[in-house]
Amino acid sequence: MTPENEAAARYFSAITAALSGLEVFMRDDRSPLYRHGIVAKIVAEYIARLDKSFSCWRNRLGFMDTFRISRAESGFPVFQNLLELENDRRQADARLANIPLAGELREEMADFILRHKEFPEALQKSMAERLYLEDVKSENTFGPFTLAQTAKVSVNPKTGRPYYLVHWATFDGSANLPLVYMVTVEDSSDAMIRQLVDRNGKLNETVDIPLPVDGLLNPELAHRFDDFTEKNSAYTLSPATIAVNLDKDFEPLHPKQLRRVVLGPFYSVGITDNNSTVTEVLAKVRKPENAWLLTWTIQEVYSKSEKPGRKGLFSSEKTTQEFFINTDDLEAARQGVSSYENHALIPHEAYQALYAAGEAQKIFAGYKVHILSNGQVISDV
């Protein structure tokens, strides 16, 4: 195995372990994030998509020589890898038609080894390509952009409006970071109120809503909403800016809360060089597969009040939200959020190394630390 392949194998092992640990954390009812309930569940689904993408990329290395990651910044793959994954998905059936079935390839490989007493590299590459293409055909990878889904529908008893929890995701091509978005939005469309709200001001139980629903639940706005999210999901846009844009662009929609989960950066010894102190200490971890650190940030902006609209003969104003930005916290103000949480997930052995080096307190200042140990996540350390 070449040094490049060894480095790639270490990277894939580390990121797979990190994502698996993060998914355990998100689905664990004892975790601090589980109090958000459906939020943790939604994020876990996108983590599973990321894990699937890494599984595909690992198979792809069996027949392709290069795989680029953002070593000095996010620690995640560069955007080009996601575009190639999407392109390969579209071409998968056509390419698979030109590759023998897996059973046939195994027989050819066994026969080659018996006759030539050496490893059949060309056949191995064909097998890796077949496994990759069969895997990548799935729609369950993390793409450059994942269209919105409505995950929850209810009624606000104060306003009498139905509201939706809608989520979508994107992989930011500039920052090379996976981003997950969730918005709680009220809908004042007359048609949706008539359909979804009963005479008691509660959700109309006679309406069958097979959740999750692809797109925004309001069919008249669904396509426009998809266009909006695709154009307003960049990492450079603050959550407050996105929420204000949504409030401004859709007269019947009233965003009450917007969350963004930023996955990363990811640190892996010998692979990434995005933090010299972390890299130096992680290099002392005995098992390379445990020498990693994954961070993520949860950002939130919410409406503190609603300014009623007015309609007149010559001019009118739509109802607008007044979003709360915590100016008492300089970092919250910089991020354009009401609140934020920084989290870090690290294997037990790596945390011990940081602690023993006296670096844990400095590195994790401002972070909620979660330790992965024996397949379980320990928080509040």
Side-chain angles (χ1 to χ4, degrees):
M1 185 180 284
T2 65
E4 291 81 5
N5 285 344
E6 285 183 9
R10 285 202 314 276
Y11 175 76
F12 279 110
S13 294
I15 192 72
T16 299
L19 292 175
S20 297
L22 184 53
E23 191 174 3
V24 167
F25 171 75
M26 292 292 174
R27 296 187 187 279
D28 189 347
D29 59 7
R30 294 169 298 175
S31 79
L33 193 63
Y34 202 81
R35 69 182 184 276
H36 296 303
I38 195 169
V39 173
K41 182 176 180 291
I42 288 168
V43 176
E45 290 170 1
Y46 285 111
I47 294 166
R49 283 176 170 268
L50 261 180
D51 198 36
K52 181 73 169 178
S53 293
F54 278 101
S55 172
C56 292
W57 284 321
R58 190 195 286 256
N59 282 334
R60 194 171 187 269
L61 268 185
F63 63 96
M64 297 292 286
D65 294 330
T66 58
F67 183 80
R68 290 180 56 222
I69 66 168
S70 175
R71 293 185 58 183
E73 295 171 351
S74 73
F76 275 87
V78 298
F79 189 61
Q80 183 65 26
N81 291 298
L82 282 92
L83 296 178
E84 290 171 354
L85 209 61
E86 287 295 297
N87 186 56
D88 289 343
R89 184 195 342 272
R90 289 192 291 269
Q91 299 178 359
D93 286 327
R95 285 169 59 181
L96 281 168
N98 296 316
I99 302 174
L101 296 173
E104 295 173 11
L105 284 170
R106 289 190 188 94
E107 289 180 7
E108 287 187 48
M109 290 170 70
D111 183 62
F112 186 95
I113 292 169
L114 288 172
R115 285 190 295 109
H116 298 280
K117 302 296 188 288
E118 59 184 62
F119 190 76
E121 290 186 12
L123 290 169
Q124 176 64 25
K125 285 189 175 183
S126 293
M127 176 66 86
E129 186 173 5
R130 167 162 280 281
L131 292 174
Y132 166 74
L133 292 170
E134 288 176 347
D135 220 13
V136 84
K137 279 175 63 177
S138 162
E139 292 293 327
N140 295 325
T141 54
F142 196 106
F145 182 79
T146 305
L147 289 169
Q149 277 193 338
T150 300
K152 181 182 178 182
V153 183
S154 192
V155 173
N156 183 340
K158 293 181 180 178
T159 63
R161 301 171 184 157
Y163 69 84
Y164 324 126
L165 174 61
V166 188
H167 61 89
W168 68 95
T170 187
F171 192 96
D172 188 273
S174 298
N176 293 309
L177 288 168
L179 310 174
V180 178
Y181 287 92
M182 280 163 272
V183 65
T184 302
V185 58
E186 291 185 9
D187 189 343
S188 60
S189 306
D190 289 339
M192 298 307 290
I193 291 175
R194 285 196 304 271
Q195 183 178 2
L196 296 175
V197 184
D198 66 18
R199 63 182 62 186
N200 297 315
K202 296 183 178 180
L203 188 66
N204 188 347
E205 294 184 354
T206 64
V207 178
D208 182 29
I209 307 173
L211 297 172
V213 174
D214 287 341
L216 184 75
L217 190 63
N218 186 326
E220 293 184 2
L221 302 177
H223 288 302
R224 273 185 59 207
F225 189 84
D226 284 343
D227 289 341
F228 173 88
T229 53
E230 195 158 6
K231 293 172 183 173
N232 287 268
S233 295
Y235 182 54
T236 51
L237 295 176
S238 72
T241 299
I242 298 169
V244 168
N245 289 347
L246 177 59
D247 189 39
K248 181 180 67 177
D249 288 2
F250 293 85
E251 185 168 348
L253 297 183
H254 314 279
K256 296 298 182 179
Q257 180 189 55
L258 185 138
R259 278 196 184 94
R260 177 166 69 186
V261 180
V262 182
L263 296 171
F266 174 69
Y267 308 88
S268 178
V269 70
I271 308 293
T272 62
D273 41 42
N274 34 13
N275 184 302
S276 58
T277 304
V278 173
T279 299
E280 185 179 326
V281 177
L282 289 183
K284 299 174 183 176
V285 175
R286 188 168 50 86
K287 295 181 179 178
E289 64 268 25
N290 289 332
W292 56 263
L293 166 63
L294 175 64
T295 63
W296 69 96
T297 301
I298 302 172
Q299 300 169 311
E300 178 187 342
V301 63
Y302 63 83
S303 171
K304 62 180 179 180
S305 62
E306 183 173 282
K307 182 182 177 183
R310 64 177 182 83
K311 292 186 178 180
L313 287 173
F314 302 104
S315 67
S316 62
E317 293 179 1
K318 78 177 291 290
T319 300
T320 55
Q321 307 301 310
E322 294 185 23
F323 295 102
F324 172 65
I325 303 298
N326 186 2
T327 53
D328 291 336
D329 184 324
L330 290 178
E331 182 59 21
R334 186 191 69 80
Q335 293 183 28
V337 295
S338 309
S339 64
Y340 67 94
E341 294 178 3
N342 292 323
H343 293 261
L345 178 69
I346 186 169
H348 185 255
E349 185 184 354
Y351 182 79
Q352 281 186 316
L354 289 170
Y355 189 82
E359 299 287 352
Q361 190 169 358
K362 180 173 70 175
I363 288 171
F364 294 123
Y367 281 81
K368 297 184 178 183
V369 182
H370 316 284
I371 297 175
L372 182 62
S373 179
N374 297 321
Q376 293 190 330
V377 177
I378 305 163
S379 298
D380 302 321
V381 293

